[in-house]
Amino acid sequence: NAGVTQTPKFRILKIGQSMTLQCTQDMNHNYMYWYRQDPGMGLKLIYYSVGAGITDKGEVPNGYNVSRSTTEDFPLRLELAAPSQTSVYFCASSKIQVQIYGYTFGSGTRLTVV
Amino acid sequence: AQTVTQSQPEMSVQEAETVTLSCTYDTSENNYYLFWYKQPPSRQMILVIRQEAYKQQNATENRFSVNFQKAAKSFSLKISDSQLGDTAMYFCAFMKHLNAGNMLTFGGGTRLMVKP
């Protein structure tokens, strides 16, 4: 059971470039999330999804887009990368009963925009 | 909107001793859930312990326990018999009951160093 898999683990982008951070889970979880963690800070929610075809903005969505065409996959797209998007990005998923099980997190993607 | 505050950016403790990490939160909700997550140097986020606001009894998981004070909106984590493997960032998190997206709000974290 792989859990939540994120790729790549590290990436350096130049300003203005675009990329997609991949996230896939094999636990048949309904809910999926993207958070960013800036150095020395907590996690801030970018986007979330409650099921295939349904996505919604979190606290810091500007500069990002998501899609959820299947239950398993929840990619995060960065268009026109900016230095302010330098961060560690975490994908997470949860069952509906998150109050019991919490989130399952991926291992993160460290992104640097130069 | 809910806010979660962890007032101790860094703490250290000697191996085998006890340490308490603080967390306060601000909410107008009556029903909610609280969590502590551990993030070791590997960066993986690991659920340590959780608490339902409607339960008065403090949650315990082996060497980890919480002191939940609902009126004070306080949710501290106590680690007993600290081990070197407890060295990590610790995040407190809040979730409203009947939250459509089951979203967690995280505090800024406390970096804990366990010294041999």
Side-chain angles (χ1 to χ4, degrees):
Chain A
N1 193 339
V4 178
T5 302
Q6 289 184 239
T7 56
K9 295 192 183 304
F10 303 93
R11 182 72 185 269
I12 298 175
L13 276 183
K14 293 184 178 179
I15 294 172
Q17 287 185 323
S18 300
M19 76 165 294
T20 299
L21 280 65
Q22 301 292 344
C23 176
T24 187
Q25 53 93 6
D26 61 358
M27 298 169 287
N28 202 33
H29 285 175
N30 295 83
Y31 295 93
M32 295 189 75
Y33 312 86
W34 276 105
Y35 283 85
R36 60 177 286 174
Q37 182 183 20
D38 297 330
M41 305 288 285
L43 284 71
K44 294 190 182 297
L45 182 65
I46 305 172
Y47 270 94
Y48 69 98
S49 170
V50 301
I54 307 170
T55 62
D56 209 345
K57 296 177 180 179
E59 184 181 357
V60 290
N62 291 343
Y64 307 95
N65 277 298
V66 294
S67 59
R68 184 98 182 268
S69 58
T70 66
T71 299
E72 293 78 20
D73 300 308
F74 190 42
L76 177 71
R77 178 81 177 162
L78 279 72
E79 304 281 2
L80 299 175
S84 61
Q85 293 178 304
T86 293
S87 190
V88 178
Y89 292 83
F90 286 97
C91 180
S93 70
S94 74
K95 297 182 180 183
I96 291 175
Q97 309 95 324
V98 67
Q99 65 272 25
I100 298 174
Y101 302 103
Y103 288 179
T104 300
F105 283 87
S107 58
T109 296
R110 181 178 296 278
L111 174 67
T112 303
V113 182
V114 296
Chain B
Q2 284 64 231
T3 58
V4 180
T5 302
Q6 293 178 248
S7 59
Q8 305 150 314
E10 294 186 358
M11 295 190 72
S12 64
V13 63
Q14 291 296 131
E15 193 175 9
E17 293 186 347
T18 295
V19 64
T20 298
L21 308 183
S22 300
C23 172
T24 59
Y25 54 93
D26 184 22
T27 185
S28 58
E29 302 289 326
N30 189 47
N31 291 329
Y32 49 87
Y33 307 93
L34 296 160
F35 303 83
W36 278 99
Y37 276 87
K38 171 184 177 181
Q39 186 182 43
S42 67
R43 214 166 62 194
Q44 187 70 43
M45 294 283 284
I46 303 163
L47 178 62
V48 174
I49 199 166
R50 62 178 182 85
Q51 174 82 40
E52 295 94 339
Y54 61 84
K55 288 188 176 179
Q56 293 185 337
Q57 186 173 4
N58 289 323
T60 299
E61 290 286 343
N62 301 314
R63 297 182 297 106
F64 298 88
S65 61
V66 299
N67 183 4
F68 174 51
Q69 301 289 328
K70 190 173 184 179
K73 297 181 182 176
S74 171
F75 183 59
S76 60
L77 175 69
K78 186 171 83 171
I79 306 174
S80 304
D81 185 25
S82 297
Q83 300 176 359
L84 296 178
D86 295 333
T87 292
M89 282 287 288
Y90 286 83
F91 293 99
C92 179
F94 172 99
M95 188 185 81
K96 287 194 304 184
H97 181 58
L98 298 179
N99 171 352
N102 282 344
M103 293 171 284
L104 290 179
T105 300
F106 287 86
T110 296
R111 184 178 303 278
L112 176 66
M113 172 74 71
V114 180
K115 298 180 178 179

